[in-house]
Amino acid sequence: MLIYWLMFWLPFLGAISPKRMINSQARFMFLLVCLIFTIFMGLRDMVGGDWTNYLPLFGYISTLNFAWAIELKDPGYALLNWIVAKAGGEIYSVNLVCAAIMMAGAFRFCRSLPNPWLALLVAVPYMLIVVGMGYTRQAVALGFAMFGLVSLGRGRIFSFIACIAVGALFHSSAVLLIPIAGLANSRQRIWTAMWVAAAFVFAYFVLLQPESDALWDNYVTQQMKSNGAIERVMMNVVAAIPLLYFRKRLVEEPQTRRLWVLISWLALACLPFVFFASTAVDRIALYLLPIQLFVFARLPNLTGNATARTVIVVGIVAYYAAVQYVWLNYAVERNYWVPYHFMPLD
């Protein structure tokens, strides 16, 4: 478990350190930590719940030609596997590239927030350890989604849709995020809604529709269940409530506020449905995880009192330390992650 706690305490040290570094130094240190996380995530060995699925898939794709490889489900991930295999690489290279994409998105997203180190700490227990080291394809889609959310918060709708479209090549469920662009936009709403709807329909039929029947059967008809889904959805709800209550104090820019208020309502909407289709809602709620980073990185700014800010930061750190401790020690599927194995040392 040492690696997991190192990943937690590195951003903790950044969050509590005196702000004496100039911006370029702070950016370099943050980048260095993200690179360390990329190595830990990408060069893991037999760590993560989906490892036994990805390893045989890599072996299968290595036997295909280019045309057959890109016809597989999630063609972006299939193409990455094919390129690595033909170059003589192994699954570790695939994981390293996927980890780099996710951490690049996390770097971009966290650096857009008032307290990047605190945001990164919030990401560690679930987004980086569980998703980043377990749901490789969806982790890449989430990385692109974080790039897109930064752009959408600044009114760059086309950039958001482009990011989501690329992410959907790795996990087709990312297509479901596209309508957010139309709903969160505050200018030229009719025109924007029309072309966002067109983009969604196109992406849906190209990427998601071919497997929609199988997904519905697995996640809804057969009522596939995910252990801990309720708790994970509740973590998004815990972040959504203060944002809705303090929306104007937490987010001054109207376009950004509109986006995150919408995401907050989506997080709340997941709660009743998780009791009926836990796996489906759990997988969709993964794309709402950035709300935790967004809110808790801003929450200390609610007060101008230094002591009160410190209390809030300590409370956030304690909350996520408890989340990580409970997950690593008591989660039903913890054995897929514990103990951690590092490929260069095994």
Side-chain angles (χ1 to χ4, degrees):
M1 296 186 190
L2 179 61
I3 291 296
Y4 299 132
W5 285 110
L6 178 62
M7 290 179 66
F8 186 87
W9 293 118
L10 281 177
F12 169 75
L13 293 175
I16 64 172
S17 65
K19 301 183 182 300
R20 295 174 181 171
M21 291 186 292
I22 62 175
N23 190 56
S24 59
Q25 292 174 327
R27 183 182 179 87
F28 173 77
M29 291 303 298
F30 196 83
L31 177 60
L32 180 62
V33 170
C34 287
L35 288 174
I36 293 171
F37 285 9
T38 299
I39 294 171
F40 287 161
M41 294 163 61
L43 297 183
R44 67 191 188 277
D45 184 37
M46 299 302 290
V47 172
D50 283 349
W51 185 271
T52 54
N53 295 328
Y54 290 131
L55 192 56
L57 178 62
F58 177 81
Y60 172 66
I61 292 176
S62 67
T63 66
L64 303 178
N65 60 36
F66 174 79
W68 287 1
I70 62 172
E71 289 182 357
L72 294 177
K73 172 186 173 183
D74 301 322
Y77 184 72
L79 178 59
L80 174 60
N81 277 261
W82 186 85
I83 292 172
V84 169
K86 297 307 178 183
E90 299 181 65
I91 188 66
Y92 307 106
S93 299
V94 175
N95 289 340
L96 189 62
V97 172
C98 291
I101 294 172
M102 186 186 193
M103 284 309 307
F107 175 87
R108 181 74 180 91
F109 189 84
C110 292
R111 290 289 298 175
S112 72
L113 299 173
N115 192 329
W117 289 108
L118 190 57
L120 186 61
L121 179 146
V122 169
V124 169
Y126 185 59
M127 180 185 288
L128 300 186
I129 292 178
V130 180
V131 179
M133 297 192 191
Y135 312 153
T136 308
R137 292 176 298 125
Q138 200 161 8
V140 175
L142 180 57
F144 280 111
M146 285 189 283
F147 274 112
L149 287 170
V150 174
S151 295
L152 187 57
R154 298 173 179 176
R156 301 169 186 169
I157 299 174
F158 179 81
S159 177
F160 170 78
I161 293 179
C163 288
I164 299 304
V166 176
L169 295 175
F170 288 82
H171 202 283
S172 56
S173 62
V175 166
L176 299 174
L177 291 175
I178 291 178
I180 290 177
L183 296 171
N185 184 58
S186 59
R187 292 169 290 185
Q188 297 181 322
R189 294 182 183 178
I190 296 177
W191 167 245
T192 300
M194 289 175 60
W195 74 265
V196 168
F200 171 71
V201 170
F202 176 79
Y204 174 83
F205 280 101
V206 171
L207 296 171
L208 191 57
Q209 194 276 334
E211 58 178 307
S212 59
D213 290 341
L215 292 173
W216 182 267
D217 183 58
N218 289 334
Y219 290 159
V220 180
T221 304
Q222 297 185 27
Q223 295 186 334
M224 185 185 293
K225 297 187 180 298
S226 291
N227 294 313
I230 296 173
E231 290 80 359
R232 291 189 288 272
V233 168
M234 278 300 303
M235 289 175 67
N236 287 342
V237 171
V238 168
I241 291 173
L243 188 138
L244 291 172
Y245 190 80
F246 297 110
R247 63 183 74 180
K248 292 187 177 179
R249 293 174 60 189
L250 283 175
V251 191
E252 295 181 0
E253 209 284 318
Q255 175 67 31
T256 305
R257 182 167 63 244
R258 183 181 180 88
L259 168 62
W260 289 98
V261 166
L262 172 62
I263 292 177
S264 296
W265 284 117
L266 291 175
L268 293 176
C270 287
L271 187 57
F273 293 103
V274 75
F275 295 98
F276 305 103
S278 63
T279 300
V281 173
D282 190 30
R283 288 305 178 103
I284 293 172
L286 289 181
Y287 295 114
L288 305 181
L289 286 175
I291 192 175
Q292 297 180 39
L293 285 61
F294 184 86
V295 172
F296 290 120
R298 292 173 177 268
L299 209 57
N301 292 346
L302 282 176
T303 176
N305 183 279
T307 302
R309 282 199 302 271
T310 300
V311 170
I312 292 173
V313 170
V314 170
I316 293 169
V317 172
Y319 169 50
Y320 280 95
V323 168
Q324 181 158 312
Y325 177 82
V326 170
W327 191 87
L328 288 175
N329 289 278
Y330 301 107
V332 174
E333 297 178 342
R334 64 179 291 275
N335 290 335
Y336 290 109
W337 279 261
V338 180
Y340 173 88
H341 295 284
F342 190 52
M343 184 274 290
L345 300 181
D346 286 342

